[in-house]
Amino acid sequence: LEVANRHSVAFEQALARAVLWAARAELGQAGRALDELEMVLDELHEQGARFEMMGVLGTCARVALLQDEEEAARGYLASALGLARETGTAQPLAVEVAEVPALQALAAGLPGSEYLSEALGALRAARRQQTQGEGAADEDGFAASTYSLRVFTLGREEIERDGRMISPAEWRAAAAREMFLYLLFAGPQTRGDISLAFWPDSSADQVRANFHTTLHRARQALGADVIVFEKDYYAINPDLELWCDALEFERLAEQARLLPPQDARAEDLYRKATNLYAGEFLPSLDADWAYTRRLALADTYLEALVGLGRCARARHDHRAALDAFMRALEVDPYREETHREVMSCYNEMGERGRVLNHLEDLKRLFRRELAVEPTEET
């Protein structure tokens, strides 16, 4: 928690506090621990961290049982199982209740309990496999089967396999990591498609050697079952428990687009999306496919900020709307649509002078940087 506070990393701060108060609950501070854990849940909800919320709800249920508050524990479990139904997995909850039979009994019969049963079975199977030898590998040197992957691509480039970060050394070559990312974002590809994207100027023999070496190294780092081959296509195993910040960001933004600004769900979705966007997509990767996706995601981020501002404006919270629009202008100061939103906010606030001042600033910016005037619409 001290490290997270020092670097102002909100996500890790919340998780560290949850673990800390779970420990303090076991040491006799269960009452206060529940209050602190509730605040952590609020923070994770703001960040759209549904998987982590599920785990913390399981922790809350454990702490409630320490205080003999069985109904409260059942309520926390019901909320966690609701998230399990949304995400399609109860893995984080299973970790919290695996050693507490009383919680498993409370969860039985609740809507979504089938997800918990499935996750508990997978967890027990994984533990049995682990007892057969830590870090076991098959005859080809592949790591044991993988249960889950978490992929971070916005502002950072990290991949977690079953809760453990894959180090650069484990990939052995940058191309192995890129091949995995390419398949994740491009979808199923033939060997010819992959080879054309990675080695367009190499001879057939070089391509064949490079392809098999790179695929082998990717499977060694990720596990033998992550990249599968079926009907002439290589793809990411669809049965894998996989979460990716960029894909979740796109999903949230797409859902928000379908709703009008007056709908409170739209503002919640836009806020979750903007919180996920921690920076450029795969900032160190210099590849055509990554560059195209990087531009598209940056455009979506701008759209989400403007959408967030429009939602705030629809409920007449002009200060919040201006904050979102100004954040959008920091990203792209030449987007006239956003400038028009800012001036409309000032107008609705009755600050006509600020409308005119903003317009004059915009004219100076366009003349100086672009040698053009704003459009007639503006």
Side-chain angles (χ1 to χ4, degrees):
L1 180 58
E2 288 175 0
V3 173
N5 287 337
R6 191 179 310 133
H7 294 280
S8 300
V9 193
F11 184 73
E12 283 74 10
Q13 284 173 325
L15 293 184
R17 282 174 48 220
V19 175
L20 179 61
W21 281 103
R24 287 175 174 168
E26 299 285 350
L27 298 173
Q29 300 183 51
R32 185 178 172 192
L34 267 182
D35 293 336
E36 295 288 340
L37 288 167
E38 287 280 1
M39 287 191 283
V40 170
L41 283 172
D42 289 341
E43 293 173 22
L44 292 174
H45 182 267
E46 283 292 317
Q47 298 176 44
R50 293 182 296 174
F51 284 92
E52 290 73 13
M53 281 182 65
M54 202 187 309
V56 175
L57 284 165
T59 302
C60 289
R62 291 173 59 184
V63 174
L65 271 191
L66 290 175
Q67 296 185 288
D68 296 322
E69 297 181 5
E70 192 170 292
E71 280 306 308
R74 184 180 285 108
Y76 287 122
L77 290 171
S79 297
L81 290 171
L83 290 174
R85 295 199 304 276
E86 291 179 19
T87 59
T89 180
Q91 180 193 358
L93 180 61
V95 172
E96 296 300 324
V97 307
E99 305 301 331
V100 191
L103 285 179
Q104 296 175 36
L106 281 178
L110 291 174
S113 59
E114 65 275 13
Y115 291 100
L116 179 59
S117 298
E118 181 182 347
L120 285 169
L123 181 59
R124 294 183 187 112
R127 286 177 172 174
R128 285 195 298 271
Q129 186 180 46
Q130 188 175 27
T131 59
Q132 296 171 4
E134 190 70 29
D138 65 15
E139 63 272 16
D140 293 320
F142 293 135
S145 297
T146 297
Y147 182 53
S148 69
L149 288 177
R150 287 178 62 82
V151 185
F152 300 91
T153 61
L154 297 173
R156 55 176 169 155
E157 301 170 17
E158 296 174 354
I159 300 171
E160 291 181 2
R161 174 175 177 259
D162 294 335
R164 183 185 65 81
M165 196 73 66
I166 300 177
S167 68
E170 290 177 86
W171 294 103
R172 298 177 62 192
R177 183 177 66 105
E178 185 183 340
M179 179 180 284
F180 162 70
L181 293 169
Y182 177 69
L183 290 173
L184 176 61
F185 289 100
Q189 302 287 311
T190 65
R191 186 173 73 174
D193 294 331
I194 298 170
S195 300
L196 186 62
F198 279 72
W199 308 284
D201 301 321
S202 299
S203 67
D205 289 341
Q206 288 176 320
V207 166
R208 190 178 302 109
N210 289 340
F211 177 85
H212 289 295
T213 299
T214 303
L215 179 63
H216 182 84
R217 288 174 174 171
R219 283 173 166 165
Q220 281 184 315
L222 294 163
D225 57 342
V226 171
I227 298 178
V228 296
F229 180 72
E230 185 175 355
K231 296 180 180 178
D232 296 327
Y233 282 86
Y234 291 88
I236 304 303
N237 189 340
D239 297 326
L240 185 69
E241 187 62 51
L242 189 149
W243 180 91
C244 172
D245 55 358
L247 296 179
E248 178 70 2
F249 168 75
E250 290 176 324
R251 185 188 70 81
L252 291 168
E254 180 62 30
Q255 287 184 338
R257 283 191 200 106
L258 303 177
L259 301 171
Q262 295 81 7
D263 193 319
R265 293 173 297 172
E267 186 168 5
D268 182 54
L269 289 165
Y270 278 131
R271 181 175 291 107
K272 289 176 179 177
T274 56
N275 287 339
L276 271 178
Y277 193 87
E280 279 194 340
F281 174 70
L282 296 174
S284 72
L285 188 57
D286 183 19
D288 289 343
W289 71 267
Y291 178 74
T292 302
R293 194 72 172 236
R294 188 176 301 141
L295 293 179
L297 285 165
D299 284 343
T300 301
Y301 177 54
L302 272 173
E303 177 192 344
L305 286 173
V306 172
L308 186 62
R310 286 173 176 164
C311 290
R313 186 179 161 200
R315 57 181 175 82
H316 307 294
D317 187 346
H318 295 101
R319 295 298 176 190
L322 283 170
D323 178 68
F325 294 142
M326 291 303 186
R327 287 168 62 192
L329 287 177
E330 289 177 6
V331 178
D332 184 358
Y334 307 111
R335 183 165 170 162
E336 285 192 64
E337 177 188 11
T338 312
H339 287 283
R340 291 196 292 269
E341 295 282 1
V342 170
M343 290 187 285
S344 296
C345 271
Y346 285 145
N347 183 58
E348 291 168 10
M349 295 166 68
E351 301 188 17
R352 303 288 298 280
R354 299 186 73 175
V355 175
L356 295 173
N357 288 339
H358 191 90
L359 179 59
E360 291 304 316
D361 290 341
L362 175 59
K363 287 179 178 179
R364 281 192 291 269
L365 173 70
F366 275 28
R367 288 167 186 162
R368 183 179 67 249
E369 301 293 338
L370 306 175
V372 299
E373 294 289 333
T375 62
E376 183 64 28
E377 181 182 1
T378 297

